[in-house]
Amino acid sequence: MTNRSTFDDVMVPNYSPLAVIPSHGKGSRLWDEDNNEYIDLAGGIAVSSLGHCHPKLVQTLQQQTAQLWHVSNVMTNQPALRLATKLTELTFAEKVYFCNSGAEANEAALKLARKYAFDKFGAEKTEIISFSNSFHGRTLFTVSAGGQAKYSDGFGPLPSDIKHATFNDLASVEAIISDKTCSVIVEPIQGEGGVSSASKDFLNGLRDLCDKYNASLIFDEIQTGAGRIGELYAYQHYNVIPDILTSAKGLGGGFPFGAMLTSTEIASSFVVGTHGSTYGGNPLACAVAESVLDIISDQQLLDNVKSKHRKFIDGLDHINQRHNIFKDIRGMGLLIGCELKPEYQGKAKDLMDLALEQNLLILVAGPNVMRLAPSLIIPDEDIAQGLMSLDKAIEKFLGNQAPA
Ligand SMILES: *Cc1c(COP(=O)(O)O)cnc(C)c1O
């Protein structure tokens, strides 16, 4: 019989999964092999945007598995064409490129930014500006663009001409941007980096600087996109239009999927043969993503995300009045971060472990921030029950902190 200890025997040790092995899920609830029931406020990691096994997604996938799985990019397919049409209708984008993950979407975005600058302005315009604390995926290019050294240390030599400025500090960008800059990549809300929102002035300022220096502006919306913040994409909230946008996680609703969105002008640098992916745009993933998009692009659903945000914030404020554990409660829509007070520095993971003991799944975003990224359609009673379990976990957590 295989169990959790099998993992350590046969898997590459780059993960350290929890002791619990889930067996099935429904909505915002998950069950393990012993049939213990959990409230899921993690949604994978901001992935299961419609919860587990949403009936419409199950139906779509079942239909598509019986119809057509794979044809390669030598041919196109109807689900991909329909999805691309809808994405271009619903966003600034005129062209889309499909792949299988967030890192691949960013890899495509960064390659396209370089290629477009090369085609249009010549071989000298290669510099990419990213931000400290950012996260853009785990390929070599994307860990290099990412602003957390722990993900790129030891993997050198890294791709060159990537500089890091300070998030929400326009002056730090002004200090390094130049005619050599080909692109600026930014998360409108830094997810892994601690659920930190960009200010409107900052994103507007980046837009102006990119225009001034003929650099493309890339929004990494892999975590903030697909309805997560109560708009289809965060750029719509900020009213700042990027040149390239990447989407993954919630858009696949749990099925591996990624997309890069851009303009016809910039897309023109990816001519036939310049970039590609065997599985990118396959009918299974596109059929699921189309169903996700159909559901989440509904205004009522997006409005509900905002009212559910309010419910979480009110509940978390109440918990904090009782326990005085959080220094800051922040985020937008259903991407919420709670930063621990300085006396609990580095202990977000301890809280996550205690939550699991209360049959509650939550996330961390770095060592000091508890993160919630539940299903966009989480029922109100699951919010209430989840917050009650969180309250108990925090009680235990604080009990453990008491001086001996
Ligand atoms: C998760 C994430 C990625 C990487 O996505 P993968 O599907 O794991 O490759 C990139 N950028 C952001 C902002 C993310 O949250």
Side-chain angles (χ1 to χ4, degrees):
M1 241 280 275
T2 49
N3 55 38
R4 171 60 183 83
S5 73
T6 313
F7 185 96
D8 297 330
D9 294 337
V10 296
M11 303 286 268
V12 169
N14 63 315
Y15 302 119
S16 172
L18 298 170
V20 162
I21 300 183
S23 72
H24 59 289
K26 186 87 203 135
S28 290
R29 309 242 169 177
L30 206 60
W31 289 266
D32 68 17
E33 295 175 312
D34 301 323
N35 224 27
N36 296 308
E37 186 174 331
Y38 300 82
I39 298 263
D40 185 1
L41 300 185
I45 302 182
V47 167
S48 307
S49 48
L50 296 172
H52 300 281
C53 297
H54 187 285
K56 179 72 178 69
L57 303 190
V58 170
Q59 187 200 14
T60 297
L61 188 55
Q62 280 175 346
Q63 261 171 18
Q64 191 59 46
T65 51
Q67 204 172 330
L68 185 68
W69 289 23
H70 180 78
V71 290
S72 93
N73 286 300
V74 169
M75 288 177 273
T76 188
N77 65 80
Q78 286 296 349
L81 295 171
R82 287 198 307 266
L83 175 61
T85 302
K86 288 176 183 176
L87 281 169
T88 54
E89 281 166 1
L90 290 164
T91 69
F92 74 95
E94 299 161 323
K95 293 283 192 288
V96 304
Y97 165 81
F98 292 137
C99 48
N100 314 287
S101 69
E104 279 179 71
N106 283 335
E107 185 79 20
L110 294 167
K111 281 182 71 181
L112 178 60
R114 281 255 175 97
K115 185 66 165 50
Y116 177 71
F118 177 87
D119 290 347
K120 184 125 197 224
F121 303 102
E124 298 300 304
K125 198 171 175 65
T126 52
E127 234 164 57
I128 291 161
I129 296 177
S130 175
F131 294 94
S132 46
N133 271 324
S134 64
F135 182 79
H136 297 299
R138 301 296 200 125
T139 65
L140 200 56
F141 205 169
T142 55
V143 288
S144 306
Q148 302 184 55
K150 64 179 179 190
Y151 295 135
S152 59
D153 282 350
F155 292 107
L158 303 175
S160 58
D161 278 359
I162 301 172
K163 289 183 171 172
H164 293 89
T166 306
F167 189 66
N168 269 336
D169 177 357
L170 204 57
S172 75
V173 183
E174 276 165 343
I176 57 173
I177 198 166
S178 74
D179 289 328
K180 274 204 70 191
T181 307
C182 82
S183 193
V184 175
I185 181 167
V186 66
E187 297 159 84
I189 304 172
Q190 288 190 333
E192 306 299 311
V195 192
S196 310
S197 301
S199 70
K200 284 199 175 181
D201 286 350
F202 179 62
L203 293 186
N204 269 307
L206 289 183
R207 179 69 275 173
D208 291 344
L209 285 173
C210 284
D211 290 344
K212 181 169 165 199
Y213 290 97
N214 289 314
S216 56
L217 180 58
I218 303 171
F219 278 5
D220 177 346
E221 293 228 32
I222 288 159
Q223 195 153 156
T224 56
R228 175 60 50 193
I229 71 147
E231 306 283 344
L232 191 53
Y233 285 98
Y235 85 85
Q236 294 160 327
H237 162 80
Y238 284 97
N239 209 12
V240 175
I241 298 178
D243 300 297
I244 302 174
L245 180 149
T246 52
S247 189
K249 291 205 166 101
L251 187 53
F255 202 91
F257 181 73
M260 177 189 72
L261 284 59
T262 189
S263 65
T264 299
E265 160 75 8
I266 293 176
S268 67
S269 279
F270 266 2
V271 297
V272 174
T274 40
H275 193 64
S277 155
T278 293
Y279 295 118
N282 73 80
L284 292 175
C286 291
V288 174
E290 184 195 12
S291 280
V292 171
L293 186 63
D294 286 344
I295 296 172
I296 61 173
S297 57
D298 174 60
Q299 192 56 48
Q300 184 65 53
L301 181 141
L302 294 170
D303 291 344
N304 284 345
V305 168
K306 288 179 181 159
S307 59
K308 287 177 195 297
H309 169 88
R310 207 54 260 164
K311 288 209 167 74
F312 270 106
I313 298 298
D314 290 347
L316 290 164
D317 277 339
H318 187 73
I319 286 174
N320 207 28
Q321 276 158 27
R322 275 165 46 78
H323 297 299
N324 200 22
I325 177 175
F326 301 126
K327 176 183 154 193
D328 189 25
I329 299 172
R330 58 188 182 234
M332 280 187 230
L334 291 175
L335 180 57
I336 294 167
C338 299
E339 184 176 346
L340 296 173
K341 301 196 95 176
E343 53 266 45
Y344 311 121
Q345 277 287 289
K347 291 184 172 164
K349 172 77 166 56
D350 296 354
L351 181 57
M352 187 175 106
D353 292 341
L354 289 165
L356 187 72
E357 288 176 18
Q358 299 297 326
N359 291 22
L360 173 69
L361 298 169
I362 59 174
L363 295 166
V364 300
N368 305 322
V369 177
M370 175 192 90
R371 176 174 36 158
L372 306 179
S375 159
L376 303 182
I377 52 170
I378 181 173
D380 289 345
E381 66 258 33
D382 290 5
I383 298 178
Q385 195 179 325
L387 288 172
M388 238 154 65
S389 303
L390 180 64
D391 190 274
K392 286 194 196 123
I394 289 173
E395 225 164 77
K396 290 253 165 70
F397 175 86
L398 294 173
N400 293 348
Q401 310 303 314

